[in-house]
Every structure is written in C-alpha cells, then in structure tokens.
Amino acid sequence: MKKRHISTILFHSLVVLFGCFMIYPLAWMLSASFSEQTQIFQNPGLIPNPFILLNYVIGWSGMSGITFGAFFLNSFTIVMFVMVGSVFSSILAAYAFARINFKMRAVWFTLMLGTMMLPMHVRLIPQYIVFNNLGWINTFLPLIVPAFLGVNGFFIFLFTQYMRGLPKELDQAADVDGCGPFRLFWYIIMPLSVPAIVTVCIFSFIWTWNDFFTQMLYLTDMRKFTVALALRMFIDSQGQSSWGALFAMSILSLAPLFFMFIAFQKYLVEGITAGSIKG
C-alpha cells in the first residue's frame, strides 16, 4: 500500500514538473509583454520590473495607420466563414458515406481518405494558378471558398465515424414515419451530431486562426492582413524589432483560442472519443 502511495505521489510530481516546464515559455512571454523593451531579454524571471502596459498600447495602435483591431476583424471574418463552410460541406459528405447506400461508396471513401495523405505542397502551385486565373489573389476567397467544397478529409472522416456510431434503428423509425433522407438528416442525425460539430468548429477555428503560410501566399494588401501576418511585421530584419509589442499582441492573439477551448472542452473530448471508438 505504501509503495502504491509513493508511486502515485511520484507520478503526479513528475506530471506537475512537466506541466511547469511546458507552460514556462507562455508565462515568460506574458511577463515580457509587461516589461520594458530593454529589460525583456535581460530579466530571466517571470516578474516584470518595472510593470508597464505601454507594449499593449503600442501594439494595438498597429502600423501604417491600421490598428491591430482591424487585423483581428480580418481573422475573425475568415475564421467564421471557414467554420461554417467546413461544418456544412463535411457533414453532408459524411452523411452520405455513413447512412446512404450508393455504388462504389467504399471506393470513394477510400479516395477521400487518400487525400489526407497528400502533402499540401503538392497541390499548392495548381491551386495558386487556379485562384490567380479567377482573380482571387489578395482577397479572402482562396481562404474561404475551399471550406465550402468539402476539401478537409479529416473532418469528413470524423463526422462519418461519429454517424456510424448512431443506431440504425433511427433510420428505420424515420422511414416508417415518412421521413426522407433530408428530413432524417436535418431533424435526427444533425442534432445528435452536436459534439462532432463542435469538435470540427474548434479544430477549424484553431487551424485557420494559426494559419500563416496560406494567408501569406494569397494576401498582399496590409489592410487585409490577419493576426498571424500582422505579428510578423513587428519583427524588423534591420534589428529594430518591437519585441514588447510583439509579445503583447501574441498574448492577445492566444486569448480567443484559449477561451474557445475552455468553453467547449467537454464537446471536444466527447466528439473525438466517439468518432474514434465507434463505427
């Protein structure tokens, strides 16, 4: 009994130590956001000396007459549309794979899974050529429209596995009551898929919010920059980087991710576990 008690204490101590090790960079960045520019890299501790708010004022004032709030608005605009498009397109495709029998369903599902193994860089140039011919460069369209076309195989797979775990008797009961495929989906399957929907929304929010490469590729006008692109502008290759403002705005950029994860953590865990063990 004593050995088990000691092992439990040792295990939790190691977990706490590892957690402190993992959270230290974030805590240091938070401390640096309240420190003077000259003290950021000279003070290894986590207590700013002196404690100032100037970095947040400078960072939020933005650059070239554009406040950082405009960059937040651009990011939220893209993220909201991508979330809606990802859920709408992925759940419809998954419903077909999970609940509707059609020819070569297994083949198409396998091909869909194969797209998950295709590196992004393979399709990068063809996509850019297509969007350039459509005149979509320097607009939000290349970042938003693909989400409405069901291009994310992971989301489709997640929805499919979740729907396969729902009882087939629901389909039979709905058929007896005269419900067609669409009414079955709208009134029964979709309300029961709320955990999976929230999971897809969270992943879509995080991935789109943190996306840097794709947004840098298609956006060239500073007025259309997102938070990820705007943070880069605080770093000057000539050595005049505004580190304090950079860390301050980085902390603010993490806030939406943090609050969304905390608010929907229950649904996130439920959606992932259900989609992984069912079907």
Side-chain angles (χ1 to χ4, degrees):
M1 189 67 180
K2 291 183 177 180
K3 291 183 178 179
R4 182 178 180 182
H5 186 65
I6 293 175
S7 62
T8 301
I9 296 177
L10 181 61
F11 172 76
H12 285 87
S13 299
L14 291 175
V15 170
V16 171
L17 181 62
F18 183 74
C20 294
F21 176 78
M22 294 295 294
I23 204 173
Y24 176 79
L26 180 60
W28 182 88
M29 185 171 68
L30 178 62
S31 173
S33 68
F34 293 105
S35 301
E36 290 185 349
Q37 181 82 8
T38 57
Q39 297 294 322
I40 291 178
F41 297 106
Q42 297 181 8
N43 182 15
L46 298 179
I47 301 178
N49 186 22
F51 184 93
I52 63 173
L53 295 174
L54 182 61
N55 293 326
Y56 287 87
V57 176
I58 296 176
W60 192 259
S61 63
M63 55 211 73
S64 300
I66 306 175
T67 65
F68 214 84
F71 303 133
F72 269 95
L73 180 60
N74 292 338
S75 289
F76 275 115
T77 301
I78 295 174
V79 165
M80 291 300 109
F81 277 107
V82 170
M83 286 173 56
V84 173
S86 297
V87 171
F88 174 77
S89 60
S90 299
I91 198 172
L92 288 177
Y95 175 67
F97 284 127
R99 316 297 282 199
I100 299 178
N101 292 321
F102 57 90
K103 292 183 179 180
M104 300 179 65
R105 182 175 66 171
V107 175
W108 291 114
F109 187 72
T110 303
L111 291 176
M112 184 275 299
L113 293 179
T115 61
M116 298 171 58
M117 308 175 191
L118 191 66
M120 178 191 69
H121 306 85
V122 173
R123 60 180 188 270
L124 187 63
I125 295 178
Q127 281 183 345
Y128 187 89
I129 294 175
V130 171
F131 293 144
N132 185 50
N133 291 336
L134 292 174
W136 288 2
I137 302 301
N138 198 30
T139 69
F140 294 158
L141 293 178
L143 306 173
I144 294 175
V145 172
F148 286 86
L149 303 179
V151 298
N152 197 309
F154 173 73
F155 293 160
I156 298 176
F157 174 76
L158 187 85
F159 275 127
T160 301
Q161 294 300 99
Y162 188 90
M163 291 181 186
R164 285 177 176 174
L166 301 177
K168 292 290 185 180
E169 290 75 13
L170 295 174
D171 299 34
Q172 299 172 2
D175 185 61
V176 171
D177 292 338
C179 288
F182 179 78
R183 294 183 64 188
L184 169 65
F185 165 77
W186 186 257
Y187 291 106
I188 298 178
I189 300 299
M190 193 168 71
L192 293 175
S193 302
V194 169
I197 292 175
V198 175
T199 302
V200 169
C201 286
I202 293 175
F203 277 120
S204 180
F205 185 98
I206 294 175
W207 292 346
T208 306
W209 186 270
N210 290 332
D211 182 28
F212 174 79
F213 181 75
T214 307
Q215 296 171 4
M216 180 184 67
L217 185 66
Y218 294 114
L219 300 178
T220 57
D221 187 356
M222 184 183 298
R223 293 172 297 179
K224 298 178 181 178
F225 276 8
T226 60
V227 171
L229 296 180
L231 289 175
R232 180 194 59 169
M233 294 189 295
F234 287 111
I235 302 178
D236 186 359
S237 60
Q238 302 300 322
Q240 300 297 322
S241 301
S242 182
W243 294 107
L246 171 63
F247 292 142
M249 293 302 99
S250 296
I251 292 294
L252 292 183
S253 69
L254 292 176
L257 303 177
F258 177 78
F259 286 117
M260 186 170 187
F261 179 81
I262 295 298
F264 299 102
Q265 183 179 10
K266 173 184 175 181
Y267 293 101
L268 176 64
V269 175
E270 183 180 349
I272 293 177
T273 55
S276 61
I277 65 177
K278 293 182 180 180

